[in-house]
Every structure is written in structure tokens, then in C-alpha cells.
Amino acid sequence: MRNYIFRFAPAVILMLAFASGCATTIRGLKHDPSFTFDSVKTSGLYVGGVVSATAELAPGEITTFSSILRSGFLDERKDIYVHDPAAFTSAVGIDRRAAMLSEYKNAGVVSTRWLDEIRSKIPAARYVVFARIEDDNVTKERRKEDVYSDKEKDKDKRKLIGQKIKTEATRRMSVSLAIYDITAGVFVWGGSVEKSRNDSRQYETRLDDNTAILLDTINRVLNEEDKIYPYPPYPAQRDVLLSVFMGFAENLPKQKK
């Protein structure tokens, strides 16, 4: 019985699925001329909350995702202040916030009556931002590449000595975002952004002799591929959301030079 040597490259490769240095595109961007750098710089932004159109988020998840929205905006745009989401919840009330976000989750818009209530509870506020997860998809893939001995110059005479196996787990999220001017009771800026994150693992197999045995055939018969070449965990929602919110923030109005 032949022995096989399996090697796992321990490093887990984390890759954002967008090229660094490339500006994020906001699909369906709408921008009211009244929403300027100077106006948002003066008043700052309040975070109304983050919801999901595909799942029911627990109150703790809403709080966490709202904090990630704030962090993404502040990391990308240090020239625009974003209030702690707790300030909004404290002023509006947790039950009223829950009712507001439930309506926003289902309708995708914040109605005038809610904007009026926010204005009455936070009279110093002008802009409030809401976000809605539209899609959250996970996929996994395993790719293999045969490895041959390079001792023979003739390619037809090369011996199969092993394989390189790469397993990947990907999360892709699409999020819509809306900023409202509550003093005017209107939507002033927003659209949707899609980002993905990919985690991967690299494995190598080596035959202990030069017999050309197809490892993938053996693995299929044994039905143990998932044990031998396991997939990495799916990237966390919070990691993808952070890149999404930074993408929105980089497109906010900038100071004119």
C-alpha cells in the first residue's frame, strides 16, 4: 500500500475582492445638491441603524452593525464626524427605534412620520444615516493543480508527483444606504455598494514514489476530501460590512479646494 504525504500551508490568506486604490462605485447614487461637505461637516451624522432585508437581526446585531457603520465612516473620512449610535437610540428610545427599523427593513425607506419624530427627539440633528443589507451570499470552491516532476525535459515523460489544492470560502454582501435631512424631511444621498471577502487555504500532496496515481480519483472513492482539504470558515459579516461602509464614506462630498 502506497503512502501519501499531505502538507497544509498554515497561512490563511485574506483578500478583499476589490483592488486596493480603486474607488468604490455606488450603484444608483442619488445626491441632492443641498447635501454638501460644508453642511455635513457642520452638523455631522447620526446613525439610525442597520437592518437586513434577508434576515431578522437581533438587537445586539443591529447595535454592532451600526457601530461598524460609524467606524467605517470615521476610518475613511476623519473630516466628517459621526455620532455614536447609542446617542440616537438613547434619544429616540429602544422600542421606537425597533419599530422604525422594522418598517425600514420591510419598505427600504424611512417615512416622513419617522423623520418628524426623530426631529422632535433630536432637535440639534440634521442628517441621519440608515443602511439595509440587501444580499448576503456565501460560496465555497476547491481547485486542484497536478504537480509533475521536472527531471524529464520531455513533457510527455514527466511523472505525476502530487497536487496543489486550494480551498476558498467567499462572502459577498450588497448593502443600500440612505442619508436623510430630517429638517427638510427628504432623502439627500445614497445608493448601494457590493463587496466581497475571500479566505483561502493552500494544501500540497506528494506521492512517496513516482507512480502516476490520480489522487482526486482516490479521494472521490474515499469521500474524504472535506476532511483532508477542509475549507476555511466563511469571512465574518462584520469584516465585509466594514469595507462596504468605508466604500460609501469615500464617496461622501469632499471639501472644495
Side-chain angles (χ1 to χ4, degrees), residues 46-237:
Y46 279 83
V47 180
V50 178
V51 300
S52 172
T54 63
E56 195 68 42
L57 300 182
E61 291 178 302
I62 293 175
T63 298
T64 297
F65 292 167
S66 297
S67 295
I68 292 172
L69 187 157
R70 179 176 188 255
S71 296
F73 273 45
L74 292 178
D75 287 350
E76 185 66 31
R77 294 295 300 275
K78 294 178 173 57
D79 53 351
I80 294 177
Y81 185 70
V82 182
H83 296 269
D84 190 313
F88 181 89
T89 304
S90 177
V92 174
I94 191 167
D95 291 337
R96 295 302 287 166
R97 186 196 74 162
M100 182 189 309
L101 293 181
S102 178
E103 184 177 301
Y104 175 59
K105 162 186 165 61
N106 295 323
V109 296
V110 180
S111 65
T112 302
R113 73 184 182 94
W114 285 118
L115 299 180
D116 291 342
E117 182 166 338
I118 295 171
R119 184 171 62 249
S120 69
K121 298 290 182 64
I122 318 176
R126 181 175 181 183
Y127 297 118
V128 182
V129 55
F130 295 86
R132 184 173 184 251
I133 300 169
E134 305 292 348
D135 286 301
D136 180 12
N137 296 313
V138 291
T139 58
K140 58 185 180 181
E141 181 182 11
R142 180 183 290 115
R143 295 195 297 271
K144 300 177 182 179
E145 178 184 351
D146 291 336
V147 177
Y148 293 89
S149 169
D150 58 2
K151 293 180 179 179
E152 296 285 347
K153 293 184 179 180
D154 187 343
K155 293 183 178 181
D156 293 333
K157 294 181 180 179
R158 290 185 305 168
K159 302 292 185 179
L160 177 67
I161 60 173
Q163 284 186 325
K164 291 182 179 179
I165 301 94
K166 182 176 183 180
T167 60
E168 294 182 342
T170 301
R171 180 182 295 274
R172 184 177 300 276
M173 300 182 75
S174 176
V175 180
S176 62
L177 181 139
I179 297 178
Y180 289 87
D181 182 340
I182 62 172
T183 62
V186 295
F187 171 95
V188 292
W189 193 90
S192 64
V193 163
E194 182 179 285
K195 296 279 188 183
S196 65
R197 193 176 182 102
N198 171 287
D199 292 359
S200 65
R201 288 178 176 175
Q202 304 276 3
Y203 302 88
E204 291 185 7
T205 66
R206 288 291 184 270
L207 300 177
D208 63 353
D209 59 26
N210 291 325
T211 304
I213 299 176
L214 295 177
L215 296 179
D216 61 339
T217 302
I218 295 174
N219 290 328
R220 281 200 298 270
V221 172
L222 296 177
N223 195 27
E224 292 186 348
E225 280 193 313
D226 287 346
K227 295 180 181 179
I228 300 171
Y229 319 120
Y231 294 98
Y234 290 116
Q237 287 177 310

